[in-house]
C-alpha cells in the first residue's frame, strides 16, 4: 500500500517537472511503460502468497488506472500550453506597416528610346533592328562610302577583322531593310553603335535612332515636317527646327538639324551657348547611289533618312552634362528619373 502511494507521488512529481510533451511522455514511460515501475510491480506477483495475489493485482491495477488518468490530464494541459506558446510565437500583427520593396525604373536612355519609338510609330514608322557586328559593306560601302573615301575618317571605327567591325552607325540598317523590303518604306532603327571616341559628351558605345522613309515624291519638306512634330513632342510645344547644310556620303543634300532651345525658347542661354539653337541630329535625302545599291530605282523613288544620338537627346532633355553618368548607373543618379 505504502509503496503504491509512494510510486503515485513520484509519478505526479515527474509529470509536473516535465517541461514539454516529450519529457512528459518519457516520465509516463518510466511508470507505465513496458520497463516501467508499475509493470515491475506486477512482475512481483510470483513472489506473493497465492491467497494475497487477487488483492495485490487489484491494487496494482488501481494504481495503473490512477496514473493513466493523472498523465492524461497532464498531457491535455501540456497540449494547451504548447499550442498557446506556438500561437504567441507565430502571431502576426496585421496593423504593422508592410515592408517596402524599392521599385525599379526605366533607364533614361531606354525612356528616351521608347518615347522616340512612340512619336514615330504614331506617324506610321516600323521598328527594324540590325546586327551590332556588321560587315564593312553594310556599314560603309553600300552607304556610298568605299574604302578610300575620306568620310571614313569621320568615324573612328573598331575593326574586328578586315571585313567585320562594330557598327559605327545605325545607318547600316537602311541597307539591310531596303534589301528586304520594297518601298513604300517607313523604318525606325534603334540600337547601340561603337566609335573610338571618349570625352564628356562622347562614349565609345552609345545609342542611335535611325529613320528612313522611301516612297514616290518624298521631299526635304516631308523630313522637316516630321522633325518639327518630333521636336514639339520631345522638347516643348513651341519647339521649331532649322536645317543647315552638311555632308554625309549617303545623303544628298545633307543637313544638320537644330532644334530651338527648349530652356530659353531661343533667346540664348548656357545650354545653347547663346545661339538659341541646339544641334540634335544629322539627316538628308537618301543619296541615289544608296538607292541603286539596294535595287531601288532613284528616278521613281526618293527618300529621306535621319540619325540621332539617343544619349544626346536624353542629355538635352534632362540637363545631363556628362555622358558617363548614363553608363555608370549610380542609383542616386538613376533614381531621379523615376516617374
Ligand atoms: N549616320 C549618321 C551619323 O552617325 C547620321 C545620319 C543618319 C545622317 C542618316 C544622315 C542620315 O553621324
Amino acid at each position: 500500500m505504502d509503496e503504491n502511494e509512494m510510486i503515485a507521488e513520484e509519478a505526479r512529481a515527474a509529470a509536473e517537472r516535465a517541461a514539454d510533451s516529450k519529457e512528459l511522455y518519457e516520465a509516463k514511460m518510466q511508470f507505465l511503460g513496458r520497463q516501467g515501475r508499475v509493470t515491475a510491480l506486477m512482475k512481483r506477483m510470483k513472489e506473493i502468497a497465492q491467497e494475497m495475489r487477487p488483492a495485490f493485482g487489484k491494487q496494482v491495477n488501481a494504481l495503473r488506472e490512477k496514473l493513466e488518468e493523472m498523465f492524461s490530464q497532464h498531457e491535455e494541459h501540456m497540449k494547451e500550453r504548447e499550442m498557446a506558446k506556438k500561437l504567441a510565437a507565430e502571431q502576426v500583427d496585421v496593423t504593422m506597416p508592410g515592408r517596402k520593396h524599392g521599385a525599379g525604373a526605366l533607364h533614361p536612355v531606354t525612356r528616351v528610346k521608347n518615347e522616340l519609338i512612340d512619336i514615330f510609330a504614331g506617324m506610321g514608322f516600323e521598328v527594324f533592328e540590325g546586327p551590332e557586328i556588321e560587315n564593312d559593306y553594310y556599314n560603309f560601302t553600300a552607304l556610298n562610302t568605299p574604302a578610300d573615301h575620306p568620310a571614313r575618317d569621320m568615324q573612328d571605327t573598331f575593326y574586328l577583322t578586315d571585313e567585320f567591325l562594330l557598327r559605327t552607325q545605325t545607318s547600316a540598317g537602311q541597307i539591310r531593310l531596303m534589301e528586304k523590303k520594297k518601298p513604300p518604306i517607313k523604318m525606325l532603327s534603334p540600337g547601340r553603335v561603337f566609335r573610338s571616341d571618349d570625352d564628356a559628351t562622347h562614349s565609345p558605345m552609345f545609342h542611335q535612332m535611325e529613320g528612313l522613309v522611301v516612297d514616290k515624291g518624298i521631299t526635304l519638306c516631308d523630313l522637316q515636317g516630321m522633325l518639327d512634330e518630333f521636336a514639339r513632342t520631345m522638347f516643348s510645344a513651341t519647339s521649331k527646327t532649322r536645317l543647315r547644310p552638311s555632308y554625309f556620303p549617303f545623303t544628298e543634300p545633307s543637313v544638320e538639324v537644330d532644334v530651338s532651345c527648349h530652356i530659353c525658347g531661343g533667346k540664348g542661354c548656357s545650354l545653347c551657348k547663346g545661339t538659341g539653337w541646339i544641334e540634335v541630329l544629322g539627316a538628308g535625302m537618301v543619296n541615289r547611289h544608296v538607292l541603286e545599291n539596294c535595287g531601288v530605282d532613284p528616278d521613281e523613288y526618293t527618300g529621306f533618312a535621319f540619325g540621332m544620338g539617343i544619349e544626346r537627346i536624353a542629355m538635352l532633355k534632362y540637363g545631363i552634362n556628362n555622358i558617363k553618368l548614363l553608363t555608370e548607373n549610380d542609383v542616386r543618379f538613376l533614381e531621379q528619373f523615376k516617374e
Side-chain angles (χ1 to χ4, degrees), residues 154-155 168-171 174 195 206 208-211 248 250-251 254-255 281-284 304-308:
M154 285 165 81
Q155 299 169 0
T168 59
Q169 49 189 359
T170 44
S171 302
Q174 293 184 25
R195 292 180 196 180
F206 62 103
Q208 278 189 336
M209 180 69 80
E210 189 84 8
F248 299 103
F250 35 89
T251 47
S254 299
V255 292
L281 56 97
F304 67 73
F306 60 84
M308 60 183 102

Side-chain angles (χ1 to χ4, degrees), residues 213-259:
V213 172
V214 181
D215 202 352
K216 288 178 179 153
I218 296 292
T219 70
L220 206 60
C221 285
D222 297 313
L223 169 68
Q224 192 164 21
M226 281 194 177
L227 293 177
D228 273 334
E229 178 65 23
F230 146 74
R232 282 192 294 265
T233 318
M234 181 58 78
F235 295 108
S236 93
T238 54
S239 288
K240 292 188 299 255
T241 62
R242 164 176 100 168
L243 308 186
R244 275 183 296 111
S246 182
Y247 175 77
F248 299 103
F250 35 89
T251 47
E252 182 58 38
S254 299
V255 292
E256 213 63 79
V257 180
D258 296 341
V259 173

